[in-house]
Amino acid sequence: MNDLWNNKILLVAVLADLVAQGIKPVIHYSEFHEWKWHLLFSNGGFPSSHSASVTALTTMVGFIEGLASPLFAICVVFSAIVIFDATGVRQEVGKHARTLNAIFEEFKMWEQFDYKHFTELVGHTVFEVIGGIALGMLIALVSLRIPFLTAR
């Protein structure tokens, strides 16, 4: 277990995810002047925590293992898939959820099908993903300046 706490790459990736999730309610409040604490645990929204965590992971691996390492190559491919999925597939799932919710509401079909409201905020816009990428890189770069996070 002690080795896990010494894995700086993992710690920075998790930190990026937590920071991205943690600032979602703050950003929502600054825009709408209402707190929505459930955003701490929700998918979607600005910034993309998926993009932030995989970008922080890839950035840390690049700096620690080197840009020519096989591990960096794996992280780049993994990150590209996650980021593409966040903006593509998951965005479409959100659109389908909105449509299905509207249909069930319009035709009052929820009792017939044991309907449970579908989560609509699932995917990310390109802007949300870019925000996550920028946040992930920033957290990784700042962590390189923190002594206990730079040692291997």
Side-chain angles (χ1 to χ4, degrees), residues 20-152:
Q21 283 300 124
I23 63 175
K24 286 180 184 184
V26 175
I27 290 171
H28 181 83
Y29 182 81
S30 71
E31 188 174 345
F32 299 105
H33 303 291
E34 66 174 337
W35 289 106
K36 286 198 173 181
W37 294 108
H38 74 276
L39 293 175
L40 287 170
F41 306 102
S42 68
N43 293 314
F46 182 85
S48 165
S49 59
H50 293 86
S51 300
S53 59
V54 297
T55 300
L57 172 77
T58 303
T59 303
M60 289 298 289
V61 168
F63 276 109
I64 293 173
E65 298 294 328
L67 299 180
S69 73
L71 188 56
F72 179 72
I74 292 167
C75 287
V76 168
V77 171
F78 170 74
S79 295
I81 291 168
V82 169
I83 291 168
F84 176 79
D85 182 63
T87 55
V89 176
R90 291 177 59 237
Q91 186 73 355
E92 288 300 315
V93 168
K95 290 176 185 175
H96 290 140
R98 274 189 293 286
T99 302
L100 287 171
N101 286 335
I103 289 169
F104 274 89
E105 186 65 36
E106 177 71 26
F107 296 106
K108 313 281 187 243
M109 299 168 58
W110 50 84
E111 292 172 1
Q112 296 169 280
F113 294 97
D114 192 27
Y115 168 72
K116 179 183 168 196
H117 186 82
F118 295 110
T119 303
E120 297 177 10
L121 187 59
V122 179
H124 291 284
T125 64
V126 173
F127 177 73
E128 292 167 344
V129 166
I130 291 170
I133 291 170
L135 180 64
M137 288 182 119
L138 178 67
I139 290 172
L141 293 172
V142 167
S143 74
L144 292 171
R145 306 295 281 161
I146 300 171
F148 75 90
L149 287 175
T150 56
R152 239 178 143 193

